[in-house]
Amino acid sequence: MGGYLDILLFFAIYSFLGWLVESIYKSIMEKRLINSGFLAGFFCPIYGFGALIVLVSTNWINRFFTNNIVALIVSMFFAIFLVTVLEYFTGYILEKSFNCKWWDYSNNFANLHGYICLKNSLFWGGLAFFMLQIVHPLVAGLVLPLTLKVKEYAVIVLAIYFVIDTAKTLFDTLDLRRVIFRYSNISLNDYKQKIIKYKRFFMAFPRLLLLNAGTLNRDVRSILNDKYNQIKTEIKSKFR
């Protein structure tokens, strides 16, 4: 699979592609632009880590099976299992950090604690198959021929970007966590401003809208909808 520079570039590319596909899907479903994923920027690391897990496990499996069809089938099972484990622990860590599920599959068939379910696991398997058969040959064809110097500069720029983006996102999530846990001690105006400021999180993870449901005059959904309707009204007025 190449050296560590190739691995880091693959991680960045698949983090971006995962963010792009998920953002487009959610934007179509919600009929509004949504910046999906945990980070503020254009990357969703869970897809990057998932892709690397699939690539590494497939590379390892191919060493033990000479039959390509058998190797592919085994790779799919490994991909389903490993990426599902990754999704489970990601959901678990986020819930423990915020005392709320950022996604919940409890109503889905064959789910485990609401973090994972059979349907999504099969989806990961299909996505892994599509990546291995279609996407990765194209990505590898772009990355592998690059000169060592170009790869080094690209990795440095991406590493700086990831550090800045991660630091900003962690700061924002800690601030949001404080607002969520101490909302009763915050003025209504400050509370609304914070919710609007961090609306990206609520749009990307609708489960967060349930955090304060039932809290009089402090319903997150109503605050976001009011702001959204206000923006639409302002835009329409400009074209009259």
Side-chain angles (χ1 to χ4, degrees):
M1 198 173 67
Y4 74 95
L5 292 176
D6 294 333
I7 293 174
L8 293 174
L9 289 175
F10 288 150
F11 169 78
I13 290 172
Y14 285 114
S15 294
F16 170 73
L17 292 177
W19 169 86
L20 182 64
V21 171
E22 188 170 302
S23 294
I24 292 174
Y25 173 76
K26 288 186 176 180
S27 295
I28 292 174
M29 296 300 293
E30 295 293 328
K31 297 180 180 179
R32 65 178 75 180
L33 290 177
I34 293 178
N35 177 8
S36 188
F38 182 70
L39 295 180
F42 310 129
F43 293 92
C44 193
I46 191 171
Y47 288 97
F49 284 119
L52 291 185
I53 288 174
V54 172
L55 293 174
V56 170
S57 62
T58 299
N59 186 54
W60 178 77
I61 290 169
N62 287 336
R63 297 178 182 178
F64 291 89
F65 296 93
T66 55
N67 187 301
N68 291 334
I69 296 179
V70 173
L72 180 61
I73 293 174
V74 175
S75 295
M76 291 302 98
F77 278 105
F78 264 83
I80 290 173
F81 174 74
L82 294 174
V83 178
T84 298
V85 170
L86 174 64
E87 184 180 28
Y88 181 90
F89 281 104
T90 300
Y92 175 82
I93 292 171
L94 285 174
E95 181 179 4
K96 293 305 177 182
S97 299
F98 282 82
N99 196 31
C100 176
K101 284 186 171 69
W102 287 51
W103 61 83
D104 190 1
Y105 305 137
S106 296
N107 295 325
N108 291 28
F109 172 73
N111 74 87
L112 182 61
H113 302 146
Y115 303 130
I116 56 176
C117 65
L118 179 61
K119 183 181 73 174
N120 267 45
S121 295
L122 294 177
F123 169 76
W124 292 127
L127 199 63
F129 177 83
F130 182 74
M131 183 194 78
L132 290 173
Q133 298 299 307
I134 308 284
V135 179
H136 190 64
L138 298 175
V139 172
L142 293 173
V143 172
L144 297 180
L146 296 175
T147 65
L148 180 61
K149 189 63 67 176
V150 170
K151 292 179 182 179
E152 288 176 345
Y153 284 135
V155 167
I156 290 173
V157 171
L158 289 169
I160 294 173
Y161 175 87
F162 269 107
V163 169
I164 295 174
D165 193 0
T166 301
K168 180 185 183 304
T169 302
L170 288 177
F171 177 83
D172 289 345
T173 52
L174 289 174
D175 190 30
L176 176 60
R177 184 178 187 273
R178 180 185 63 81
V179 172
I180 290 172
F181 286 169
R182 302 179 182 178
Y183 67 89
S184 59
N185 297 323
I186 301 175
S187 69
L188 181 59
N189 183 63
D190 289 343
Y191 178 83
K192 287 184 175 180
Q193 292 304 316
K194 288 292 185 180
I195 295 301
I196 292 171
K197 178 180 179 181
Y198 299 127
K199 65 180 179 179
R200 184 188 70 81
F201 288 112
F202 296 98
M203 296 296 99
F205 301 97
R207 278 290 303 179
L208 293 179
L209 291 170
L210 302 179
L211 285 171
N212 291 326
T215 303
L216 187 62
N217 295 326
R218 296 200 170 198
D219 188 288
V220 176
R221 188 187 300 273
S222 66
I223 293 173
L224 293 176
N225 286 339
D226 287 346
K227 183 63 176 179
Y228 180 64
N229 292 331
Q230 178 185 344
I231 293 173
K232 287 198 302 183
T233 301
E234 291 175 356
I235 292 175
K236 288 180 181 180
S237 64
K238 293 180 180 180
F239 291 93
R240 289 177 180 175

